[in-house]
């Protein structure tokens, strides 16, 4: 689909985007999420930018009590229906926030931010810093971002992509307070909205608060 008008405010931009998408999802969580979290002891999880809820559903299925946030009420309604269809609605609290304005008032054992990226102005680093501070001791922070431009991306051809290490530096976390479990780039085979195929790079940051 075409990108909604970039002059819209963030709420309207994402609403239009999701209203033009089918409500169903492919039911598959992010592979990085599965890979890094499958063996972890569940607790309270916060997911930032949950879209249609496949990651939140996977977390809930694996024992986590999840707070799942998105700016789009329509995305949240799709995500809630997704959770309900799997009998997991009571394990996920869906909350609407524009994260540049408000942030859930919770402490948690895991924060995930998978491709929390937008073509609009967005204080992503500040939001991720808040996310890091919302973690309990021993809590896990999993951030995955696009590290390359997919051929079908809306991003400008000359957009700069940061490495995981560069993004981690931006977060300015106190090194002694965090264990680096994984910080780096990985390539992945991906399909675009019209079934285009490409190899893309993900920049992955996975930390544990000490
Ligand atoms: C690129 S999508 C990624 C969705 C999903 N996490 C994934 O891995 O496919 C970004 C998501 O962040 C949400 N989002 C964008 N700006 C936001 C904001 N200011 N506050 C909260 N959520 C936002 C969008 O609605 C969208 O669902």
């Amino acid at each position: 689909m075409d990108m909604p008008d970039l002059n819209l405010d963030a709420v309207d931009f994402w609403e239009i985007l999701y209203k033009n998408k089918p409500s169903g999802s492919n039911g598959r969580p992010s592979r990085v999420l599965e890979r890094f979290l499958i063996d972890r002891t569940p607790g309270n999880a916060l997911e930032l930018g949950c879209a249609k809820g496949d990651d939140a559903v996977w977390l809930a299925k694996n024992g986590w009590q999840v707070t799942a946030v998105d700016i789009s009420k329509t995305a949240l309604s799709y995500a809630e229906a997704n959770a309900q269809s799997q009998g997991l609605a009571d394990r996920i609290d869906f909350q609407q926030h524009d994260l540049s304005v408000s942030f859930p008032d919770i402490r948690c054992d895991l924060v995930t931010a998978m491709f929390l990226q937008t073509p609009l102005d967005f204080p992503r680093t500040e939001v991720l810093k808040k996310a890091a501070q919302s973690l309990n001791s021993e809590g896990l922070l999993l951030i995955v971002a696009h590290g390359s431009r997919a051929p079908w991306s809306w991003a400008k051809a000359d957009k700069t992509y940061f490495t995981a290490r560069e993004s981690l530096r931006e977060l300015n976390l106190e090194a002694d307070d965090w264990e680096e479990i994984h910080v780096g780039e990985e390539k992945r085979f991906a399909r675009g909205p019209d079934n285009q195929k490409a190899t893309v790079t993900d920049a992955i940051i996975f930390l544990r608060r000490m």
Side-chain angles (χ1 to χ4, degrees), residues 14 18 49 51 70-71 97-99 114-117 122:
W14 288 99
Y18 279 107
D70 206 282
I71 193 171
H97 290 269
D98 176 347
L99 290 165
M114 316 298 282
F115 308 105
L116 181 65
Q117 288 166 289
F122 178 60

Side-chain angles (χ1 to χ4, degrees), residues 6 10 13-14 22 24 33 36 47 75 77 96 111 145 157 160 186 193 203-204 208:
L6 285 171
F13 178 94
W14 288 99
L33 188 87
F36 284 116
E47 190 195 352
S77 72
Q96 195 247 346
V111 178
T160 306
E186 283 186 11
I204 302 169
R208 187 172 67 94

Side-chain angles (χ1 to χ4, degrees), residues 75-93:
L76 289 166
S77 72
Y78 296 165
E80 204 154 3
N82 186 354
Q84 259 159 13
S85 73
Q86 312 226 25
L88 292 164
D90 60 333
R91 299 200 63 84
I92 309 176
D93 176 19

Side-chain angles (χ1 to χ4, degrees), residues 46-63:
L46 170 61
E47 190 195 352
L48 304 177
C50 69
K52 295 183 187 176
D54 288 328
D55 284 357
V57 162
W58 184 89
L59 288 167
K61 244 185 216 161
N62 283 276

Side-chain angles (χ1 to χ4, degrees), residues 35-48:
R35 188 171 114 219
F36 284 116
L37 298 175
I38 189 75
D39 293 330
R40 300 281 169 176
T41 306
N44 289 329
L46 170 61
E47 190 195 352
L48 304 177

